[in-house]
Amino acid sequence: QVAVVESGGDLVQPGGSLRLSCVASGSIHSIEYMGWHRGDGREFVAKIASDGSTMYADSVKGRFTISRDNAENTVYLQMTNVKPEDTAIYYCYADVVRIYGGSTKSRDNYWGQGTRVTVSS
């Protein structure tokens, strides 16, 4: 089993900063991608590959920075110059490779329960 847990959501004023964290744990061989989506429609926000390459939604480019600690199976989302439209529940996912039965590989996305970010004065 794999568990994904987010933290760091809070109330922040427009123009402020916030850092979200997400850790994956359990029966993990490796993690290819980790990333963030937000809202009920799971709008894509950002993702990062195991080699450190990143991708961002246009709406957050230049304001948000995604990073990860491969040794700790952790991904971070540094949010700066936040706007009211950034208000949402932020969901983290981990694209996990597992090995079972000695040699069988499986690869699946595991999602967290979300952390709420509210941008308001």
Side-chain angles (χ1 to χ4, degrees), residues 44-46 54-65 83:
F44 169 74
V45 175
T54 59
M55 183 178 293
Y56 296 92
D58 287 343
S59 59
V60 307
K61 206 172 290 184
R63 300 188 298 119
F64 292 6
T65 302
K83 303 175 181 180

